[in-house]
Amino acid sequence: MSTVSAADRHSRALLTGYFLGLGAIMAVWGARMPAVQQTAHLGTAGLALVLLAAAVGMVAGLQLGGRYARPARLPALLTTGSLALAGCLVLVGHSESLSELLAAALAFGLAHGVLDVAANSAAVRCQNAFGRPIMSGLHAAYSLGALAGAALAALTAQAPHITLFTATGALLAGVAVAAVPVTRSLSGADRPTARVGAGQLPLLPSPGKLWLLAALAAASLLGEGAADWAAVHLHTLGAPTAASATAFALYSAAMAAGRLTGDRLTAAFGAPTVVRAGAVLATAGLTIGVIGSSTPLALAGWAVFGLGLSTTVPSLITAAGAGGAKAVATVTATGYLGLLAGPALIGALASATTLSTALLLPALLAAAVAALAHRALENTTP
């Protein structure tokens, strides 16, 4: 059993803070987007362009981060990425035209992508230093941060979004600057190798296995994106407004709970087994929730779906991490393409068929994850 140093524990606490902050700022951005749209007098097409600009920036940032996220540069990337993201949120808040919003959203996405790769690359190295799974817990911090950010946006719904964006950006920037001394001493940032389990290092993923990891990340995150339709799904079943709004909250809470317990399960049973079992659970939950055509079953189905998917992405990123920051960027960028495409694809399928039929797609993709989990994760994770 490996001995965890005080420096390693401090690094884990630091990265937990980064994941919390990233989740919170993304939730604040998304929750107040209607106010941004109204201030800039944008129609649906204009807002779609803004969101597309953010997505393009994010993919570019993931690739840029993967290119420059060498171990010794991780502390600098974490700090500069946080400051850039905070500043861009403020810029978005003060943008009053489509052109201003497009530029601010592109920069926001770029900063998000760089920070995402830096945080996940540092998390992989920190996990290796621990010698046991901690990635799921770090991603749970992101989920909890998102819940906190959504709650903050709801509590300040009557305040101007400019005030919220400015205050949130200033707070994040202040925390990032205050954390610079700790970030500079990030444990494992300059270590060429790391210990795993009983002294065994995970095998580097081959190009074919790396793209399999990326494809499974896209499939999993498409399912996470499909959760944006949870409230609409409940509404089509005749559920009250409160129950419809509860669907996504239950999904998010179940995912956070699953990630909080995921590290212990992974340590006990191994990532392939945990991911496969979770994907089977997700498939069953969403399928029953969709075909059951009742509010209680639908609510339970979305909760089980979130619980089942909770450990997939952390495990896939861990497996890619053995190949370095570029491999992390490849899996993350491909996964985010699934996340971004998910809501639109579900909408297109629903238009051609029904929403219930369209929601079977993420259930089928979860089944594919279950079928391929062992092949993708075998010998690539601690």
Side-chain angles (χ1 to χ4, degrees):
M1 184 175 180
S2 61
T3 301
V4 178
S5 69
D8 292 335
R9 289 194 294 270
H10 291 160
S11 294
R12 182 182 184 180
L14 174 71
L15 291 172
T16 298
Y18 274 105
F19 276 96
L20 276 168
L22 186 55
I25 203 169
M26 293 309 298
V28 167
W29 146 277
R32 296 306 300 272
M33 194 50 58
V36 174
Q37 178 185 14
Q38 184 177 13
T39 299
H41 307 289
L42 300 181
T44 303
L47 180 60
L49 284 175
V50 171
L51 296 176
L52 178 62
V56 170
M58 182 176 64
V59 173
L62 290 167
Q63 296 302 321
L64 183 66
R67 180 178 300 176
Y68 291 102
R70 301 295 182 267
R73 296 174 180 169
L74 289 177
L77 283 178
L78 286 168
T79 299
T80 57
S82 297
L83 292 175
L85 189 64
C88 290
L89 182 66
V90 176
L91 286 178
V92 170
H94 285 80
S95 298
E96 297 182 350
S97 68
L98 177 59
S99 59
E100 291 177 351
L101 271 174
L102 287 174
L106 183 67
F108 182 89
L110 187 69
H112 176 206
V114 170
L115 182 56
D116 193 287
V117 169
N120 277 295
S121 297
V124 169
R125 295 183 68 82
C126 186
Q127 176 171 259
N128 289 343
F130 262 70
R132 58 181 171 82
I134 63 168
M135 181 69 79
S136 186
L138 292 174
H139 279 245
Y142 179 94
S143 298
L144 293 173
L147 288 173
L152 176 63
L155 290 172
T156 59
Q158 302 306 315
H161 73 280
I162 296 176
T163 302
L164 176 61
F165 282 17
T166 301
T168 303
L171 177 62
L172 177 66
V175 172
V177 170
V180 165
V182 184
T183 305
R184 281 178 176 171
S185 61
L186 186 68
S187 177
D190 58 355
R191 284 199 288 252
T193 59
R195 60 185 184 273
V196 178
Q200 297 295 321
L201 289 173
L203 297 178
L204 297 179
S206 64
K209 184 162 286 189
L210 179 62
W211 284 110
L212 177 58
L213 292 170
L216 295 187
S220 300
L221 286 171
L222 188 148
E224 293 191 29
D228 290 347
W229 286 94
V232 179
H233 174 224
L234 268 293
H235 181 72
T236 63
L237 298 178
T241 302
S244 298
T246 300
F248 186 80
L250 284 174
Y251 163 85
S252 300
M255 176 162 283
R259 286 177 171 173
L260 286 171
T261 60
D263 290 326
R264 289 191 292 274
L265 292 174
T266 300
F269 301 105
T273 299
V274 172
V275 169
R276 181 168 51 195
V280 169
L281 188 65
T283 302
L286 187 57
T287 300
I288 293 172
V290 168
I291 67 176
S293 299
S294 74
T295 297
L297 282 177
L299 288 171
W302 283 109
V304 172
F305 186 61
L307 181 65
L309 287 182
S310 61
T311 61
T312 302
V313 172
S315 296
L316 294 172
I317 291 176
T318 294
K326 288 188 69 173
V328 170
T330 297
V331 170
T332 306
T334 307
Y336 273 120
L337 291 176
L339 179 67
L340 296 169
L345 183 56
I346 296 298
L349 289 174
S351 297
T353 56
T354 65
L355 180 57
S356 293
T357 300
L359 288 173
L360 291 176
L361 173 63
L364 289 173
L365 290 175
V369 171
L372 296 171
H374 192 270
R375 178 181 175 186
L377 296 170
E378 184 180 21
N379 297 326
T380 60
T381 52

